[in-house]
Amino acid sequence: MFQVYFGAFDFVLYLGGIYAAMTLAKAICDQMDAAEAAQSAGHLEQATEQSAMMTPESARTVAPMQPIPAHLSAPVAKREEVGVKVSING
Protein backbone atom coordinates (compact mmCIF):
# COMPACT_ATOMS: atom_id res chain seq x y z
CA MET A 1 0.00 0.00 0.00
CA PHE A 2 2.91 2.30 0.77
CA GLN A 3 4.29 1.95 -2.79
CA VAL A 4 0.88 2.58 -4.34
CA TYR A 5 0.43 5.80 -2.35
CA PHE A 6 3.84 7.21 -3.29
CA GLY A 7 3.47 5.98 -6.87
CA ALA A 8 0.24 7.95 -7.17
CA PHE A 9 1.92 10.94 -5.51
CA ASP A 10 4.73 10.81 -8.11
CA PHE A 11 2.17 10.60 -10.89
CA VAL A 12 0.38 13.70 -9.57
CA LEU A 13 3.73 15.54 -9.30
CA TYR A 14 4.63 14.62 -12.90
CA LEU A 15 1.27 15.84 -14.16
CA GLY A 16 1.63 19.05 -12.17
CA GLY A 17 5.10 19.64 -13.60
CA ILE A 18 3.92 19.07 -17.15
CA TYR A 19 0.97 21.42 -16.59
CA ALA A 20 3.24 24.11 -15.14
CA ALA A 21 5.68 23.81 -18.07
CA MET A 22 2.86 24.07 -20.61
CA THR A 23 1.37 27.10 -18.81
CA LEU A 24 4.75 28.84 -18.70
CA ALA A 25 5.37 28.11 -22.40
CA LYS A 26 1.94 29.48 -23.33
CA ALA A 27 2.54 32.64 -21.28
CA ILE A 28 5.89 33.22 -22.97
CA CYS A 29 4.40 32.68 -26.43
CA ASP A 30 1.48 35.01 -25.68
CA GLN A 31 3.91 37.68 -24.45
CA MET A 32 6.03 37.33 -27.61
CA ASP A 33 2.91 37.58 -29.79
CA ALA A 34 1.79 40.71 -27.94
CA ALA A 35 5.23 42.28 -28.32
CA GLU A 36 5.24 41.46 -32.04
CA ALA A 37 1.77 42.95 -32.47
CA ALA A 38 2.79 46.09 -30.59
CA GLN A 39 5.94 46.37 -32.67
CA SER A 40 4.02 46.06 -35.95
CA ALA A 41 1.47 48.59 -34.68
CA GLY A 42 4.37 50.87 -33.73
CA HIS A 43 5.79 50.61 -37.25
CA LEU A 44 2.39 51.53 -38.70
CA GLU A 45 2.09 54.42 -36.26
CA GLN A 46 5.64 55.53 -37.05
CA ALA A 47 4.98 55.49 -40.79
CA THR A 48 1.83 57.58 -40.25
CA GLU A 49 3.72 60.08 -38.09
CA GLN A 50 6.55 60.38 -40.60
CA SER A 51 4.22 60.98 -43.50
CA ALA A 52 2.24 63.57 -41.51
CA MET A 53 5.15 65.51 -39.99
CA MET A 54 8.00 64.73 -42.38
CA THR A 55 10.51 64.90 -39.52
CA PRO A 56 12.42 61.66 -38.96
CA GLU A 57 13.93 62.96 -35.67
CA SER A 58 10.56 63.00 -33.92
CA ALA A 59 9.60 59.49 -35.01
CA ARG A 60 10.15 56.61 -32.59
CA THR A 61 12.23 53.70 -33.79
CA VAL A 62 12.31 50.21 -32.33
CA ALA A 63 15.49 48.18 -32.67
CA PRO A 64 14.92 44.71 -34.11
CA MET A 65 15.59 41.68 -31.93
CA GLN A 66 19.07 40.31 -32.48
CA PRO A 67 19.57 36.55 -32.86
CA ILE A 68 21.64 34.79 -30.22
CA PRO A 69 24.71 32.97 -31.60
CA ALA A 70 24.16 29.24 -31.63
CA HIS A 71 27.63 28.21 -30.49
CA LEU A 72 29.21 30.17 -27.70
CA SER A 73 32.79 29.40 -26.74
CA ALA A 74 35.13 30.59 -24.03
CA PRO A 75 38.39 32.27 -25.02
CA VAL A 76 41.36 29.94 -25.07
CA ALA A 77 44.59 30.94 -23.35
CA LYS A 78 47.77 31.02 -25.45
CA ARG A 79 49.95 27.98 -25.13
CA GLU A 80 53.66 28.37 -24.80
CA GLU A 81 55.91 26.01 -26.70
CA VAL A 82 57.91 23.86 -24.31
CA GLY A 83 60.92 21.81 -25.43
CA VAL A 84 61.60 18.50 -23.70
CA LYS A 85 64.76 16.46 -24.10
CA VAL A 86 64.93 12.80 -23.21
CA SER A 87 68.27 11.12 -22.82
CA ILE A 88 69.09 7.53 -21.98
CA ASN A 89 72.29 6.88 -20.04
CA GLY A 90 73.31 3.38 -20.71
Side-chain angles (χ1 to χ4, degrees):
M1 189 69 183
F2 183 76
Q3 289 87 5
V4 173
Y5 172 74
F6 280 105
F9 183 70
D10 286 344
F11 185 71
V12 169
L13 283 178
Y14 292 144
L15 287 178
I18 291 170
Y19 178 76
M22 289 173 54
T23 305
L24 181 63
K26 184 180 182 320
I28 291 171
C29 289
D30 289 346
Q31 185 179 13
M32 289 176 65
D33 289 344
E36 186 176 312
Q39 186 177 9
S40 64
H43 286 297
L44 179 62
E45 182 180 299
Q46 179 182 0
T48 307
E49 286 177 6
Q50 282 182 351
S51 64
M53 294 182 192
M54 290 296 182
T55 57
E57 294 84 26
S58 65
R60 295 180 315 193
T61 58
V62 178
M65 294 181 66
Q66 300 294 321
I68 297 173
H71 300 288
L72 300 175
S73 61
V76 179
K78 286 186 175 181
R79 292 185 170 222
E80 295 180 14
E81 293 295 325
V82 179
V84 178
K85 284 188 175 182
V86 178
S87 63
I88 301 175
N89 294 332

